[in-house]
Amino acid sequence: MPVTDSAIEKIKAMIVSGELRPGSRLPKEADLAERLGLSRNSLREAVKALSLIRVLDVRQGDGTYVTSLEPNLLLDALGFVVDFHQDNSVLEFLEVRRILEPAAAAMAARVMPDAEISALGELLEGLSDEASLQELIDNDLEFHRRIAVGSGNTVLCSLVDGLSGPTARARIWRGLTEEGAVDRTRQQHHAILDAIAHRRPDLAHAWATVHVAGVEQWLRDTLGAAGSSLG
């Protein structure tokens, strides 16, 4: 195992065992390196890597701390990672969305508070017929984010948020090129909301599946057509 990977594993083991808890300050670099049998350079590289994925927080002049380790913090890097993927890879993220978002909608239909459901309706009603494409995209992202929050599962919410980056691009392309896509999206949003408001998990799951699958199929057709034109 590369030295830096070994250092990462040793720090991870301290956190997993409970020796280092969320919010704990790491021992001084020289002490920790000696204790773990590492060079100070290897330890620094490990700390740098763990800080990039939000496991550690390096505070200049103060020390290095374990973060809160909350799911939304640890999964925050997901959105950064997925933005590097190319158009064909976006399909894979859409496939994952098609699994996760219907599940979130079904869970929201069971547990989302009435006040939050009402606010979700106000979000949709607040979108004017003259809204710009960017306003439509922002409204769409917020709609799905609130449903994920309403599921009551913080990990699921973080995953849905992380997957929004590349799929937002697909929605923009679709809105620019496919006639009737905006109206269809708004109708499907209202159908999902209605299912949640009436506490119908099965219906909420079905409509959310139709909604995400529509974007996915559009992108498949678009990429297929592009490939054919180049062939």
Side-chain angles (χ1 to χ4, degrees):
M1 181 183 293
V3 177
T4 300
D5 289 351
S6 176
I8 290 172
E9 285 299 318
K10 289 180 179 181
I11 296 173
K12 175 185 171 183
M14 293 177 71
I15 296 172
V16 172
S17 70
E19 184 176 352
L20 287 174
R21 297 184 176 279
S24 297
R25 180 176 177 175
L26 268 64
K28 291 182 179 179
E29 182 182 272
D31 295 339
L32 185 59
E34 182 178 1
R35 177 179 168 185
L36 297 179
L38 301 167
S39 71
R40 294 177 70 170
N41 186 58
S42 296
L43 180 59
R44 288 193 198 106
E45 290 300 315
V47 168
K48 185 186 299 183
L50 289 169
S51 67
L52 286 173
I53 60 173
R54 306 294 189 90
V55 172
L56 298 179
D57 179 20
V58 180
R59 305 175 189 174
Q60 294 299 325
D62 185 14
T64 300
Y65 293 78
V66 180
T67 67
S68 66
L69 301 179
E70 290 292 329
N72 63 318
L73 185 67
L74 297 180
L75 290 169
D76 187 50
L78 177 61
F80 181 77
V81 171
V82 297
D83 280 337
F84 284 103
H85 289 261
Q86 301 302 310
D87 298 344
N88 286 329
S89 299
V90 173
L91 283 171
E92 296 185 0
F93 291 111
L94 281 166
E95 288 172 349
V96 177
R97 264 194 67 205
R98 180 160 44 81
I99 296 169
L100 297 181
E101 293 203 20
M107 293 168 70
R110 296 187 184 96
V111 304
M112 192 172 185
D114 291 339
E116 292 182 16
I117 295 175
S118 296
L120 193 61
E122 291 171 4
L123 175 71
L124 294 185
E125 294 302 327
L127 189 65
S128 71
D129 292 335
E130 293 77 32
S132 67
L133 184 59
Q134 188 57 54
E135 288 172 330
L136 290 165
I137 299 298
D138 291 342
N139 188 272
D140 187 24
L141 289 171
E142 180 64 11
F143 177 76
H144 291 286
R145 187 194 70 80
R146 291 194 190 187
I147 290 175
V149 171
S151 73
N153 187 307
T154 56
V155 175
L156 180 57
C157 182
S158 298
L159 286 170
V160 170
D161 274 351
L163 290 167
S164 293
T167 57
R169 289 189 3 243
R171 281 195 294 270
I172 290 173
W173 300 336
R174 189 183 191 207
L176 286 171
T177 61
E178 186 179 341
E179 184 177 354
V182 171
D183 288 340
R184 188 157 52 252
T185 294
R186 297 181 75 158
Q187 291 169 5
Q188 291 170 357
H189 279 180
H190 280 284
I192 295 169
L193 171 63
D194 190 62
I196 292 173
H198 285 87
R199 305 299 183 184
R200 290 287 307 276
D202 54 341
L203 201 54
H205 189 285
W207 272 114
T209 301
V210 168
H211 180 54
V212 178
V215 181
E216 181 188 342
Q217 189 57 52
W218 169 83
L219 185 55
R220 285 186 188 281
D221 293 343
T222 300
L223 293 175
S228 297
S229 66
L230 293 174

